[in-house]
Amino acid sequence: AQSVTQPDIHITVSEGASLELRCNYSYGATPYLFWYVQSPGQGLQLLLKYFSGDTLVQGIKGFEAEFKRSQSSFNLRKPSVHWSDAAEYFCAVGRFKAAGNKLTFGGGTRVLVKP
Amino acid sequence: DGGITQSPKYLFRKEGQNVTLSCEQNLNHDAMYWYRQDPGQGLRLIYYSQIVNDFQKGDIAEGYSVSREKKESFPLTVTSAQKNPTAFYLCASRRDRSTDTQYFGPGTRLTVL
């Protein structure tokens, strides 16, 4: 069965500093990987996704993620954090064309931004 | 505007009552999903539907029921059999089988008193 681990439950970062959120997955085949962001009390917004090709993926809001097959990781990065980036971030893995095209989510990482 | 709507945003019910959460999409997406979110546990799949009049149980379907009579609607009923129904419920949709990408509604927070 596939699984996703986000090792950091909380991260605090200063505004203007860089941010990296970790995501490790367990899956037997080539995964389809996603990062979503959730503001308090809101739904999830898709930041970026990886299906194939270039392992460095650009997303919205200045985020990028790198797929590293050898490490089973898909870490999310942003060079300079803004106060509006304070939110919860979820990594997810899917199986293309598998039954239901279901996604498995990690437990999330809550990001706090200090002024 | 195309999107997914969930209503109401906040819902309060007494213990032992059934309650139905609404999810509507005007994206013409084939598939729809219901997730439950509890603090620190990420999202857990309750039910999903890939076509009208068909749906499948997810990982935590006990105490929930759904219907998919129309493509744009996928209501979720939280029954009195659900032991701990207080949670944030999220609905999502996916265009078709060619993609895994799911798009989410704004969520409904259910509190059972």
Side-chain angles (χ1 to χ4, degrees):
Chain A
Q2 59 207 62
S3 66
V4 179
T5 302
Q6 293 180 245
D8 304 304
I9 297 175
H10 293 102
I11 285 181
T12 300
V13 60
S14 296
E15 192 168 13
S18 63
L19 175 68
E20 182 167 12
L21 305 183
R22 296 183 291 165
C23 173
N24 294 99
Y25 65 90
S26 173
Y27 180 57
T30 300
Y32 292 82
L33 297 158
F34 304 82
W35 274 100
Y36 286 87
V37 61
Q38 184 182 34
S39 297
Q42 302 297 318
L44 275 66
Q45 181 183 21
L46 180 68
L47 281 177
L48 49 78
K49 58 189 177 185
Y50 171 78
F51 285 173
S52 65
D54 192 347
T55 57
L56 185 63
V57 181
Q58 302 296 320
I60 62 171
K61 305 187 180 196
F63 285 92
E64 66 178 24
E66 187 171 13
F67 171 59
K68 292 186 177 180
R69 184 188 301 275
S70 61
Q71 298 178 19
S72 297
S73 69
F74 188 56
N75 293 350
L76 182 71
R77 298 192 293 254
K78 185 168 184 177
S80 177
V81 168
H82 187 261
W83 64 266
S84 59
D85 294 323
E88 190 155 20
Y89 293 80
F90 292 94
C91 181
V93 62
R95 297 186 301 162
F96 187 55
K97 292 188 177 177
N101 294 63
K102 292 181 284 185
L103 297 181
T104 300
F105 286 84
T109 298
R110 185 170 297 280
V111 173
L112 303 175
V113 180
K114 295 190 302 185
Chain B
D1 270 348
I4 304 171
T5 57
Q6 292 186 242
S7 60
K9 187 166 180 62
Y10 300 96
L11 191 53
F12 297 88
R13 279 294 181 269
K14 292 183 179 178
E15 196 171 339
Q17 289 181 335
N18 291 357
V19 61
T20 298
L21 282 60
S22 168
C23 178
E24 305 275 333
Q25 53 99 0
N26 61 5
L27 301 166
N28 198 33
H29 284 183
D30 288 345
M32 297 184 75
Y33 301 79
W34 274 106
Y35 292 91
R36 171 184 171 132
Q37 186 178 22
D38 296 282
Q41 293 197 45
L43 279 69
R44 293 181 290 167
L45 181 64
I46 304 173
Y47 268 99
Y48 65 100
S49 167
Q50 299 192 83
I51 57 172
V52 174
N53 293 322
D54 184 58
F55 48 83
Q56 306 295 328
K57 292 182 179 180
D59 301 318
I60 56 165
E62 185 175 351
Y64 299 97
S65 66
V66 293
S67 63
R68 185 90 186 276
E69 297 175 2
K70 298 187 294 183
K71 188 175 185 178
E72 59 269 24
S73 178
F74 190 41
L76 173 74
T77 297
V78 184
T79 75
S80 57
Q82 168 49 232
K83 298 269 189 287
N84 185 18
T86 294
F88 191 54
Y89 290 88
L90 287 158
C91 178
S93 70
R94 174 177 53 79
R95 188 183 69 221
D96 54 41
R97 285 184 177 273
S98 70
T99 176
D100 269 14
T101 305
Q102 294 182 21
Y103 297 92
F104 285 79
T108 292
R109 182 165 300 282
L110 172 64
T111 302
V112 175
L113 306 171

